[in-house]
Amino acid sequence: HVRNPASSAAQTPGAAETAQNDTPTFRQARSSFEARFIAETLARNSGNVSRSAEVLGLSRIQLQRKIKEYGLR
């Protein structure tokens, strides 16, 4: 039987944001990776959003939304 840490964490305020032992949640880890990956791709493309979007396999609009979401500009 696998214990579900979310069931006990759901009772703790702020538990949805951070798992036990200050380990980031999957969502936090994914967001952190995505922000770094986008920032690095933008840097490699001299800030060119259209080219970076193409490299990342996103539309320019999708990338612009991610840039805004992560505060990369």
Side-chain angles (χ1 to χ4, degrees):
H1 180 266
V2 177
R3 183 174 169 233
N4 182 357
S7 63
S8 61
Q11 299 170 4
T12 306
E17 297 300 319
T18 306
Q20 293 174 348
N21 300 325
D22 295 322
T23 302
T25 64
F26 177 78
R27 183 171 286 151
Q28 288 171 321
R30 183 181 65 195
S31 293
S32 177
F33 169 80
E34 194 171 77
R36 283 193 317 272
F37 193 70
I38 290 170
E40 290 169 6
T41 302
L42 284 165
R44 281 194 305 274
N45 289 287
S46 303
N48 185 316
V49 174
S50 295
R51 177 68 185 133
S52 296
E54 185 178 325
V55 169
L56 292 168
L58 299 172
S59 72
R60 184 181 51 77
I61 297 299
Q62 286 174 311
L63 181 54
Q64 287 175 324
R65 287 181 183 142
K66 294 286 187 184
I67 290 168
K68 184 177 179 180
E69 177 183 348
Y70 297 123
L72 298 175
R73 286 255 166 131

